[in-house]
């Protein structure tokens, strides 16, 4: 059962200062919008009266090999199947369709390396590259239903490999390049990937980050039949160990392939990709998204929210390794036939104006980014954006964590010149597409994610599922299926699969994925934070259980508990409480040595993206009578919260 929400638990609201202004769109934006106020009214009316007709129309905007028989097959809830009986391939709609139309010579991708080197691809060029790799995949024995793991930084080949996999009907599993060898090994095993695509390394923060050595480490102890072929993209030109016949250079493999390749005609519900995401259990779980539903949901919402037109230059700062990168960094812009920008490196390299310089140099019209990145850049002051001409910008978007009024206002004023709408979009890896968001024509309230998009049956309810009135905080739920909703990966993923019933049974008959929210009198939603033990560190989900498991795998750790604390830049940071094995510190020149070794160990286990703000030693940790560690007591101690005598902590 969901737990009662307690504001002091997360501290999420501390960061929001009170802001009551409403920002109205400028008339030009309203007139030119893809979705005008009249369109929105009609869409809301249709979606309320007949949601399936609404989504059917959205599907009709794309090309299908065979039309669906049912818009929604709901015979076996919550295993909903969208556009059942239809045949489709997202790669056809993202590329082939454009490569054979008037969009053929339009720029699809502008990729910028950290050193400033640029590679540009038209739709036709990208189409040919994808076809070559799709043919190479086929030559290497990849067939429909297989999975390919990609351990890739932001490179054009990352996008090419995703689409090539989709084209042959294989599912892709992208592992963020900041994850450790152990993580990568586990994910290759989980996905049972025959083929792994990686790079020799990449540039970040002025340094070369080697990747191939991590891969070599990961492949020790990988299950039989996994990663039999490793394709290596030479990005930085460092010497790498190439193990024959397993390891092949990407270019040697694609060079001899033809630039024509047919798309596999997939069932609408066939798996397009898996992504792992943290929940409350000890290990991240894989959620899957399907060709048909994901494609329709992303295409529709991208056009609606970002108001994208084919003349737009759109820049999503998210790494392709996260859902934002998948949905709105890669697939969304390609489906829309727009031009998008991918950046390899660090946003502070060589200086704090890197993003603003990119906006000016490429004439970016829409920017989708995260509060953490904005808070980081804000710290350097408005003189950095001021140095650049940002007048091409029309739309600004934010995602991943509460943006808070202060950051919202900074973005609006200093980047949007008080003219561009700032759209705070709420969604999740599991939802696959934006769910609650303002549109460019909406009056905006800083700190609010606006209202549910047409076709999305969101609500704020109590534990019994009763709708709550304005001002009352409760569980944020979705009451009807939507096209981008995740599906369970095929059974071969075993334990690693996310389970739909975990999301649909906690509040019976509704989808609940862990967030608390409230609404105001106008129906605007405000996200309050997670209801569970999932942290959101710099917009990245981390389960406390996962972090604790990594701590406990160190031999000097007897007990461990992890809590989230509010942070001005990252939103939240993790603090660890550790009860060390008595006497163990002697091996490390005392407590500081042991602490440093534990920190190193966790980094090795989980990867360089994981770091604790602090690791505090305690002789013992507080427990409930049933023996569970009391994270709340630790958190209260840290935040200086006092509780009433009568309050019990047992339910924690
Ligand atoms: C969790 C999902 C979906 C893109 C990236 C994150 C939080 C997401 C917002 C927002 C406040 C937000 C929620 C959600 N979240 N967007 N606009 N305001 N919180 O995807 O890793 O699956 O995380 O991120 O807590 O449950 P994710």
């Amino acid at each position: 059962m969901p737990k009662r929400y307690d504001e002091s638990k997360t501290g999420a609201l501390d960061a929001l200062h009170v802001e009551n202004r409403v920002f109205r769109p400028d008339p030009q934006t309203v007139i030119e919008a893809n979705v005008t106020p009249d369109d929105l009214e009609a869409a809301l009316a249709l979606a309320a009266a007949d949601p399936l007709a609404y989504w059917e129309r959205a599907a009709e905007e794309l090309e299908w090999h065979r039309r669906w028989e049912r818009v929604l097959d709901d015979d076996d809830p919550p295993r909903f199947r969208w556009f059942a009986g239809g045949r489709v391939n997202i790669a056809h709609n993202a590329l082939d369709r454009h490569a054979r139309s008037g969009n053929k010579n339009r720029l699809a991708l502008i990729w910028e390396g950290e050193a400033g080197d640029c590679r540009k691809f038209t739709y036709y060029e990208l189409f040919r590259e994808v076809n070559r790799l799709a043919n190479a995949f086929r030559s290497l024995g990849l067939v429909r239903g297989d999975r390919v793991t990609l351990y890739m930084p932001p490179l054009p080949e990352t996008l090419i490999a995703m689409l090539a996999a989709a084209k042959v009907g294989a599912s892709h599993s992208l592992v963020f390049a900041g994850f450790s060898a152990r993580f990568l090994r586990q994910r290759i095993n989980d996905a049972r990937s025959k083929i792994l695509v990686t790079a020799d390394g990449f540039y970040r923060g002025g340094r070369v980050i080697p990747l191939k050595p991590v891969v070599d480490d990961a492949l020790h102890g990988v299950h039989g039949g996994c990663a039999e072929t490793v394709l290596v993209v030479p990005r930085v030109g460092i010497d790498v160990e190439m193990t024959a016949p397993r390891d092949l250079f990407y270019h040697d493999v694609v060079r001899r392939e033809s630039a024509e390749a047919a798309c596999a005609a997939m069932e609408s519900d066939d798996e397009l990709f898996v992504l792992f995401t943290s929940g409350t259990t000890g290990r991240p779980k894989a959620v899957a998204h399907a060709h048909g539903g994901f494609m329709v949901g992303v295409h529709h919402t991208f056009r609606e929210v970002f108001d994208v037109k084919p003349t737009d230059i759109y820049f999503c700062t998210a790494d392709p390794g996260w859902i934002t990168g998948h949905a709105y960094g890669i697939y969304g812009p390609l489906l829309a036939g727009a031009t998008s920008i991918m950046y390899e490196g660090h946003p502070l390299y060589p200086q704090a104006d890197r993003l603003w310089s990119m906006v000016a140099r490429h004439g970016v019209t829409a920017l989708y980014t995260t509060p953490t990145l904005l808070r980081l850049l804000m710290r350097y002051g408005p003189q950095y954006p001021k140095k650049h001409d940002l007048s091409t910008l029309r739309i600004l978007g934010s995602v991943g964590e509460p943006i808070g009024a202060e950051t919202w206002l900074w973005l609006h004023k200093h980047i949007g010149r008080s003219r561009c709408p700032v759209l705070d979009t709420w969604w999740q890896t599991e939802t696959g597409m934006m769910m609650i968001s303002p549109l460019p024509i909406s009056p905006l309230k800083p700190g609010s994610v606006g209202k549910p998009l047409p076709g999305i049956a969101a609500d704020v309810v109590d534990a019994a599922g009763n709708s709550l009135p304005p001002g009352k905080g409760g569980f944020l739920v979705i009451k009807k299926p939507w096209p981008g909703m995740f599906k369970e990966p095929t059974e071969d993923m075993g334990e690693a699969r996310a389970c739909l019933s975990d999301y649909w049974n906690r509040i019976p008959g509704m989808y609940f994925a862990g967030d608390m929210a409230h609404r105001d009198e106008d129906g605007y939603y405000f996200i309050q934070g997670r209801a569970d033990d999932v942290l959101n560190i710099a917009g990245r989900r981390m389960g406390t259980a996962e972090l604790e498991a990594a701590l406990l795998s160190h031999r000097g750790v007897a007990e461990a508990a992890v809590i989230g604390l509010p942070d001005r830049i990252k939103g939240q940071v993790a603090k660890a409480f550790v009860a060390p094995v008595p006497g163990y510190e002697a091996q490390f020149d005392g407590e500081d040595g042991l602490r440093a070794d534990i920190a190193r160990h966790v980094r090795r286990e989980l990867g360089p993206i994981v770091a604790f703000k602090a690791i505090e030693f305690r002789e013992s940790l507080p427990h409930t009578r049933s023996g569970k560690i009391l994270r709340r007591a630790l958190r209260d101690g840290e935040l200086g919260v006092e509780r009433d005598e009568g309050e019990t902590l047992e339910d924690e």
Side-chain angles (χ1 to χ4, degrees):
M1 243 4 228
K3 293 173 200 150
R4 180 170 51 89
Y5 178 67
D6 177 347
E7 226 174 77
S8 61
K9 261 174 88 166
T10 61
L13 290 189
D14 297 354
L16 306 185
H17 79 225
V18 181
E19 169 59 57
N20 294 320
R21 271 179 293 172
V22 176
F23 291 76
R24 302 201 175 270
D26 78 36
Q28 197 70 19
T29 304
V30 176
I31 293 165
E32 289 172 3
N34 285 344
V35 179
T36 65
D38 287 347
D39 297 337
L40 178 59
E41 204 177 307
L44 288 167
L46 173 60
D50 190 349
L52 296 188
Y54 179 77
W55 291 119
E56 179 157 49
R57 274 195 203 176
E60 281 165 355
E61 312 233 318
L62 293 150
E63 290 180 6
W64 295 73
H65 298 291
R66 188 174 73 204
R67 195 181 165 94
W68 51 91
E69 282 149 22
R70 294 170 73 182
V71 177
L72 177 66
D73 171 352
D74 57 359
D75 292 348
D76 179 26
R79 280 168 202 88
F80 300 101
R81 292 170 57 227
W82 281 89
F83 309 109
R87 290 199 156 218
V88 73
N89 192 310
I90 197 170
H92 171 84
N93 282 286
L95 274 185
D96 302 25
R97 185 168 64 107
H98 302 305
R100 295 183 186 129
S101 78
N103 286 349
K104 179 175 173 180
N105 297 323
R106 181 169 291 145
L107 273 187
L109 176 69
I110 302 174
W111 173 86
E112 191 169 300
E114 196 181 64
D117 42 335
C118 257
R119 291 168 68 193
K120 298 185 181 182
F121 296 81
T122 63
Y123 273 91
Y124 190 60
E125 287 166 337
L126 206 53
F127 165 75
R128 290 171 58 88
E129 289 301 323
V130 167
N131 288 344
R132 283 209 174 86
L133 183 60
N135 287 328
F137 277 163
R138 284 181 170 133
S139 311
L140 291 165
L142 194 74
V143 295
R144 185 175 168 154
D146 286 345
R147 285 197 193 84
V148 188
T149 297
L150 312 175
Y151 186 57
M152 290 288 277
L155 291 178
E157 286 79 6
T158 311
L159 179 156
I160 291 166
M162 289 163 77
L163 279 128
K167 195 151 210 182
V168 309
S171 163
H172 54 75
S173 168
L174 190 44
V175 177
F176 175 66
F179 281 126
S180 66
R182 195 185 65 91
F183 241 78
L184 176 61
R185 180 183 312 127
Q186 204 174 54
R187 281 159 199 222
I188 292 168
N189 285 339
D190 287 342
R192 310 185 343 135
S193 304
K194 289 188 217 165
I195 299 182
L196 174 72
V197 184
T198 191
D200 56 352
F202 65 110
Y203 293 98
R204 193 161 163 100
R207 291 189 302 142
V208 169
I209 313 286
L211 284 183
K212 182 60 169 52
V214 184
V215 168
D216 293 337
D217 184 359
L219 294 189
H220 287 297
V222 96
H223 295 168
C226 289
E228 283 172 338
T229 306
V230 178
L231 299 185
V232 182
V233 177
R235 159 63 186 137
V236 289
I238 51 174
D239 284 340
V240 291
E241 204 76 57
M242 295 292 280
T243 307
R246 185 192 72 189
D247 298 349
L248 302 165
F249 278 114
Y250 179 94
H251 298 93
D252 292 337
V253 173
V254 295
R255 185 176 298 134
R256 45 176 189 258
E257 298 291 345
S258 137
E260 284 293 325
C263 274
M266 307 302 287
E267 294 292 333
S268 172
D269 195 48
D270 279 344
E271 187 177 300
L272 168 63
F273 65 84
V274 293
L275 264 184
F276 288 77
T277 193
S278 298
T280 44
T281 50
R283 97 209 265 320
K285 294 276 164 107
V287 306
H289 284 286
H291 277 258
F294 175 80
M295 172 184 78
V296 171
V298 167
H299 175 255
H300 186 74
T301 50
F302 186 62
R303 201 183 153 275
E304 181 177 45
V305 175
F306 279 99
D307 192 39
V308 165
K309 321 240 170 25
T311 46
D312 274 306
I313 310 274
Y314 164 86
F315 182 13
C316 170
T317 63
D319 190 282
W322 312 111
I323 189 69
T324 309
H326 278 55
Y328 299 106
I330 290 176
Y331 284 112
L334 291 177
L335 289 167
T339 303
S340 69
I341 296 186
M342 185 191 277
Y343 174 52
E344 172 188 41
H346 197 283
L348 295 179
Y349 187 86
Q351 280 192 71
D353 64 345
R354 180 57 181 259
L355 295 190
W356 318 129
S357 139
M358 288 181 67
V359 167
R361 282 185 287 110
H362 299 295
V364 171
T365 55
L367 178 72
Y368 197 22
T369 188
T370 64
T372 289
L373 180 49
L374 291 166
R375 287 189 297 256
L376 179 69
L377 298 176
M378 263 167 80
R379 253 203 339 201
Y380 291 83
Q383 64 272 27
Y384 283 93
K386 271 212 186 86
K387 284 200 283 190
H388 300 278
D389 175 7
L390 305 180
S391 62
T392 49
L393 281 172
R394 296 199 295 122
I395 311 269
L396 301 169
S398 171
V399 66
E401 44 176 328
I403 180 167
E406 191 189 344
T407 309
W408 195 102
L409 291 167
W410 190 86
L411 179 61
H412 187 256
K413 179 169 175 201
H414 295 289
I415 310 305
R417 309 166 331 279
S418 304
R419 285 184 34 217
C420 303
V422 169
L423 311 175
D424 183 9
T425 62
W426 178 86
W427 58 294
Q428 309 173 304
T429 306
E430 292 91 336
T431 69
M433 63 193 246
M434 300 185 220
M435 303 292 279
I436 307 182
S437 171
L439 302 187
I441 57 163
S442 311
L444 302 168
K445 300 187 185 189
S448 166
V449 293
K451 298 182 189 181
L453 292 170
I456 302 303
D459 201 356
V460 177
V461 301
D462 64 16
N466 303 305
S467 193
L468 291 170
K472 279 211 94 159
F475 305 104
L476 175 55
V477 296
I478 314 294
K479 292 174 151 174
K480 287 203 176 90
W482 63 98
M485 59 183 291
F486 85 90
K487 46 173 280 170
E488 291 168 353
T490 46
E491 272 168 32
D492 57 349
M493 288 195 84
E495 286 280 281
R497 308 158 81 210
C499 190
L500 272 163
S501 54
D502 288 347
Y503 292 82
W504 287 84
N505 292 353
R506 274 186 280 180
I507 301 174
M510 301 176 193
Y511 169 89
F512 174 62
D515 281 355
M516 309 301 295
H518 73 267
R519 281 174 293 212
D520 69 7
E521 298 287 342
D522 300 325
Y524 278 60
Y525 282 65
F526 293 79
I527 308 296
Q528 297 175 316
R530 300 280 305 191
D532 51 19
D533 284 316
V534 173
L535 308 183
N536 190 330
I537 302 171
R540 283 170 194 162
R541 257 160 81 174
M542 273 286 154
T544 46
E546 197 179 332
L547 295 169
E548 286 163 5
L551 286 163
L552 285 168
S553 66
H554 188 285
R555 286 162 36 126
V557 175
E559 264 196 318
V562 173
I563 61 164
L565 296 174
D567 182 83
R568 278 196 68 80
I569 300 283
K570 297 181 170 177
Q572 248 186 342
V573 287
K575 172 162 182 178
F577 292 88
V578 165
V581 172
Y584 206 82
E585 74 283 353
Q587 298 180 28
F588 294 91
D589 291 336
E591 279 198 359
D592 287 346
L594 175 57
R595 210 181 344 261
D597 194 66
I598 293 172
R600 259 196 311 276
H601 171 80
V602 171
R603 234 177 116 85
R604 212 168 34 237
E605 285 290 292
L606 299 179
I609 67 159
V610 180
F612 289 107
K613 174 90 175 174
I615 300 176
E616 186 176 316
F617 284 174
R618 293 271 176 99
E619 227 166 88
S620 65
L621 302 180
H623 289 98
T624 60
R625 250 178 280 150
S626 61
K628 280 198 193 158
I629 294 179
L630 268 173
R631 293 199 194 93
R632 188 156 90 176
L634 292 167
R635 195 158 35 217
D636 287 352
E638 260 336 273
L639 298 170
V641 177
E642 284 181 34
R643 291 194 188 274
D644 299 341
E645 281 290 320
E647 210 168 356
T648 113
L649 300 172
E650 281 338 60
D651 59 344
E652 176 83 2

